[in-house]
Amino acid sequence: MDIAIWIFLSSGLFLGWSLGANDAANVFGTAVGSKMVKFSTAALICSVMVILGAVISGAGASHTLGALGKVSAIGGAFTVALSAATTVYLMTKAGLPVSTGQSIVGAIIGWNLFSGMPTDSAVLTKILSTWVMCPILAAITAVLLYMGINKAIKLIRPGMFQLDNWTRIGLILAGAFGSYSLGANNIANVMGVFVTSTPLDPIELFNIEFSAAMQLFFIGAVAISVGVFTYSKKVMMTVGDNLISMTPVTAWVVVMAHSIVLFIFSSQSLSNAFVDIGLPAIPLVPVSSSQAVIGAVIGIALLKRLPVQWKVLGRVLMGWVITPIMSAIACFIGLFVVQNLFNQVVI
């Protein structure tokens, strides 16, 4: 790969690192927060499964972002990703689990405004609706799972140590499933804007052809993994232990509810199955891992009437509102600088 391409891709790698530091850790945040799984174990499993999910199933959600804004110049893609990554990094530094999806959508809208391209209102409405649906669906899923698992525990009546072991295994399996879904769903945020602008040829390894998009998704997923290992622990503790007090079973329910929601919005097969039986297609949109986790946590809190740290939640919600606005402004300014100061083609 040409060195110039690596320079342009560096902003996407930075965004992947930011996603790993902020969003990817959420699949194990409750497990680590409840001290059922070690951080090092969670980070290793999360990294491997994110890469698999990105390479195998990452294409679906990327088409929606492509329809929102067709960033065709690699200089523009670099600036869009850099603006989104910087916004997520600043929010992460503040300990806020914001959405990388919100950040990249804001940056794409900033690119549309700078380039004079229209923003597809139908696509934007679809994306915004999933931002509202995601935490609500996660909360409902968490409530149903919690009620079901409680009935199962009462029926089986396992011993305390047996329940503890089952919960630890369940957290690891749910986290692995969630990590795969996260890679499939959110890799579009990291590398989606580069798919149409980066000149990569397909390569063949072990009789398997890897398209340009798959190569980009693999590189982005590795960057996510680095972010998980190097900077995710602070946000893990915000999500996992600061909003409500977690029991091991509650932690499993939250992780599983989050994982199901991410899978729903990234599965092409599930969307096709809905269409086959006469139902509307599921929108394949990169949704926020953070929103899914927090929605699940709040759902459990309301069901069990647990005290919620509303100040923490308020800071998180404020971050969700500020993120796309900040990213759009940063992208607009960044495009002006890259085009006029560095003489790079951005449109």
Side-chain angles (χ1 to χ4, degrees):
M1 192 183 295
D2 191 276
I3 186 66
I5 295 178
W6 279 111
I7 292 172
F8 283 116
L9 288 179
S10 63
S11 62
L13 299 180
F14 180 29
L15 181 56
W17 177 87
S18 299
L19 188 147
N22 194 296
D23 279 19
N26 292 339
V27 296
F28 277 107
T30 49
V32 173
S34 62
K35 297 179 174 60
M36 289 295 290
V37 179
K38 291 182 180 179
F39 170 75
S40 57
T41 303
L44 178 62
I45 296 171
C46 183
S47 298
V48 172
M49 296 306 292
V50 159
I51 291 173
L52 291 175
V55 175
I56 297 172
S57 306
S62 66
H63 296 307
T64 302
L65 282 184
L68 182 66
K70 301 184 185 303
V71 185
S72 55
I74 194 168
F78 165 82
T79 310
V80 167
L82 181 62
S83 305
T86 303
T87 302
V88 172
Y89 171 75
L90 292 175
M91 292 297 180
T92 302
K93 199 166 180 62
L96 296 176
V98 299
S99 166
T100 306
Q102 290 173 343
S103 186
I104 197 70
V105 166
I108 290 174
I109 292 173
W111 184 87
N112 287 346
L113 291 172
F114 183 85
S115 65
M117 299 291 182
T119 299
D120 191 317
S121 58
V123 175
L124 182 59
T125 300
K126 182 195 293 187
I127 292 172
L128 293 177
S129 68
T130 61
W131 289 358
V132 176
M133 289 163 54
C134 175
I136 295 173
L137 184 58
I140 294 171
T141 305
V143 168
L144 295 175
L145 280 175
Y146 187 82
M147 293 169 65
I149 199 68
N150 261 357
K151 286 184 178 180
I153 290 172
K154 288 178 182 178
L155 183 65
I156 300 172
R157 294 183 180 179
M160 184 175 65
F161 292 109
Q162 188 178 28
L163 179 60
D164 189 70
N165 286 331
W166 286 359
T167 306
R168 182 175 285 105
I169 294 170
L171 283 168
I172 291 172
L173 293 176
F177 171 45
S179 300
Y180 181 93
S181 297
L182 181 75
N185 188 274
N186 273 219
I187 194 63
N189 294 334
V190 177
M191 286 293 173
V193 293
F194 290 97
V195 170
T196 58
S197 61
T198 305
L200 293 178
D201 296 321
I203 60 175
E204 189 171 309
L205 293 174
F206 308 109
N207 294 322
I208 301 174
E209 184 176 284
F210 291 86
S211 65
M214 292 174 73
Q215 295 173 53
L216 289 171
F217 291 166
F218 174 77
I219 295 168
V222 171
I224 294 173
S225 300
V226 175
V228 173
F229 273 100
T230 57
Y231 212 78
S232 67
K233 201 167 187 179
K234 184 177 181 180
V235 178
M236 269 195 184
M237 298 312 296
T238 297
V239 173
D241 208 35
N242 287 0
L243 282 174
I244 65 171
S245 179
M246 286 282 182
T247 66
V249 173
T250 303
W252 178 85
V253 168
V254 168
V255 174
M256 198 63 195
H258 150 277
S259 304
I260 290 170
V261 170
L262 258 66
F263 179 77
I264 287 173
F265 287 111
S266 60
S267 175
Q268 183 71 61
S269 299
L270 186 60
S271 181
N272 292 341
F274 268 55
V275 173
D276 290 341
I277 60 175
L279 294 174
I282 297 172
L284 300 180
V285 176
V287 294
S288 169
S289 172
S290 301
Q291 287 181 332
V293 167
I294 290 172
V297 168
I298 297 304
I300 293 297
L302 294 176
L303 176 68
K304 297 177 68 177
R305 298 182 181 179
L306 296 174
V308 177
Q309 298 298 323
W310 294 110
K311 281 188 177 181
V312 175
L313 181 60
R315 289 178 64 239
V316 170
L317 294 176
M318 183 63 67
W320 291 355
V321 174
I322 292 172
T323 295
I325 299 172
M326 182 187 299
S327 186
I329 294 171
C331 186
F332 191 93
I333 296 172
L335 287 165
F336 180 85
V337 171
V338 170
Q339 179 176 265
N340 294 283
L341 188 61
F342 295 101
N343 297 317
Q344 296 295 319
V345 177
V346 298
I347 302 173

